[in-house]
Amino acid sequence: MGKATRDAYGEALKELGAVNPDIVVLDADLSASTKTQVFAKAYPDRFFDTGIAEANMMGVAAGLAAAGKIPFASTFAVFGAGRAYEQIRNSICYPKLNVKVAVTHAGLTVGEDGATHQMLEDITLMRALPNMTVIVPADAAETKAAVKWAASYYGPVYIRMGRAKVDDIMPEDYTFQPGKSYEVCEGSDVTIIACGIMVAKAKEAHDALLKKGISARVINMASIKPIDEEAIIKASKETGAIVTCEEHTVKGGLGGAVAEVLALNAPCPMAMVGTEDTFGQSGKADELLKVYGLTAEHIAEEAEKLVQKKN
């Protein structure tokens, strides 16, 4: 097991701060949890704790961006994408300001904090906004690469991270490119497209399917918007079946984004693994993932069904 993506975020901010004096970080009184405290300790004059006032934080970030700074605004996903949605829409995306909204504690793996804190709709909200880039890194290496890319790009970026430790998936020298996916496993019978913590589970599903004689391609789709249309169309034509996996609602998230590409370009049998039309509940992270079907076993089952349907 590797480190949590939020830990990699804190490290990346500190590294960026050392080479770029325009990097500033804002937090809504959660710096110990979002790991922005790592940056705060190193560069206290460039760190701003705005308190439990997320909407105001986004406005302050917009002002700093308008003044030429590169602000990273951090809080939990439910407060960043949810409570501050209007400010992100009107103060950041509409004028296309150079603000990076980097959120942690997304999805069911927030665990015992329960439904109120388990943000399962943020990808849908953020990818619907014009000018917004949406990234869901799979592990620590990809988080660092995505954060460093975001700092070099001019425009709004939403980076979605989790609370728990995750398996290492990507090579250490990985370079993030928006609109480009990464093929984790080769396969010819079915394609599993995943993001975030579900990439590791997709890889487990690949191994389980291989024992049954099913060859599953696994694609890490960290760039939700822009999405890698070329890889999706290629997968549809070459494998003829696609399963999407996300720690998020299937309504408008990764599954919805992939379905849009398929419907317009290369339709094929498809299944979506994620939460349905429901909120989460309090519980241990691993137990919640099982309750909501976000497991390698469920991914493998859905993939096997599609292969049978295709044949």
Side-chain angles (χ1 to χ4, degrees):
M1 184 69 72
K3 65 179 69 172
T5 50
R6 60 181 174 136
D7 285 318
Y9 172 56
E11 292 170 7
L13 288 179
K14 184 180 178 181
E15 291 171 15
L16 282 169
V19 297
N20 191 337
D22 288 329
I23 298 287
V24 294
V25 176
L26 300 85
D27 203 291
D29 202 32
L30 288 167
S31 63
S33 297
T34 62
K35 302 304 179 181
T36 60
Q37 65 178 7
V38 176
F39 182 93
K41 288 176 182 177
Y43 314 104
D45 58 330
R46 287 189 269 153
F47 177 79
F48 305 93
D49 189 336
T50 63
I52 306 171
E54 293 83 2
N56 180 58
M57 179 176 70
M58 297 304 172
V60 173
L64 286 165
K69 300 302 180 182
I70 305 171
F72 281 80
S74 301
T75 183
F76 288 1
V78 70
F79 305 130
R83 187 176 292 169
Y85 178 81
E86 181 194 346
Q87 286 68 32
I88 293 173
R89 181 188 188 274
N90 292 335
S91 298
I92 295 172
C93 287
Y94 177 52
K96 199 178 180 180
L97 288 175
N98 194 29
V99 176
K100 320 306 168 184
V101 180
V103 301
T104 65
H105 293 66
L108 291 169
T109 47
V110 177
E112 289 86 350
D113 287 357
T116 56
H117 284 54
Q118 291 162 355
M119 187 51 155
L120 300 169
E121 312 90 55
D122 54 320
I123 296 174
T124 305
L125 290 169
M126 291 297 109
R127 82 176 187 91
L129 287 173
N131 297 325
M132 181 64 90
T133 295
V134 180
I135 307 169
V136 186
D139 66 0
E142 186 161 49
T143 300
K144 277 194 171 185
V147 170
K148 290 177 179 179
W149 170 82
S152 71
Y153 165 78
Y154 189 93
V157 178
Y158 183 78
I159 305 173
R160 184 188 206 244
M161 294 165 284
R163 176 186 191 179
K165 290 182 179 181
V166 291
D167 291 342
D168 292 326
I169 300 291
M170 309 299 284
E172 281 296 328
D173 60 349
Y174 168 73
T175 300
F176 176 83
Q177 289 182 274
K180 293 295 180 184
S181 59
Y182 183 89
E183 189 172 302
V184 179
C185 304
E186 295 181 349
S188 56
D189 296 325
V190 61
T191 298
I192 304 170
I193 300 177
C195 65
I197 67 163
M198 297 305 290
V199 177
K201 297 188 183 302
K203 192 176 177 185
E204 287 178 38
H206 164 273
D207 296 341
L209 288 165
L210 205 57
K211 293 176 182 177
K212 294 187 175 183
I214 297 173
S215 172
R217 181 177 304 179
V218 176
I219 294 175
N220 172 17
M221 193 66 72
S223 180
I224 309 291
K225 182 188 177 186
I227 201 161
D228 192 343
E229 294 191 7
E230 184 179 345
I232 296 168
I233 295 167
K234 185 171 182 279
S236 175
K237 291 179 177 178
E238 292 180 355
T239 69
I242 290 178
V243 182
T244 59
C245 317
E246 58 196 307
E247 188 193 7
H248 184 272
T249 178
V250 297
K251 296 184 181 299
L254 171 64
V258 171
E260 289 165 14
V261 175
L262 292 175
L264 295 172
N265 299 280
C268 73
M270 181 182 177
M272 300 182 192
V273 173
T275 59
E276 300 296 333
D277 194 14
T278 183
F279 289 105
Q281 59 184 301
S282 182
K284 293 182 179 178
D286 288 344
E287 293 175 359
L288 288 170
L289 293 176
K290 289 178 183 176
V291 168
Y292 291 90
L294 274 63
T295 63
E297 291 78 14
H298 188 209
I299 297 168
E301 287 171 10
E302 292 299 316
E304 194 171 357
K305 285 179 193 174
L306 283 187
V307 171
Q308 291 170 357
K309 184 176 181 180
K310 179 184 74 168
N311 293 338

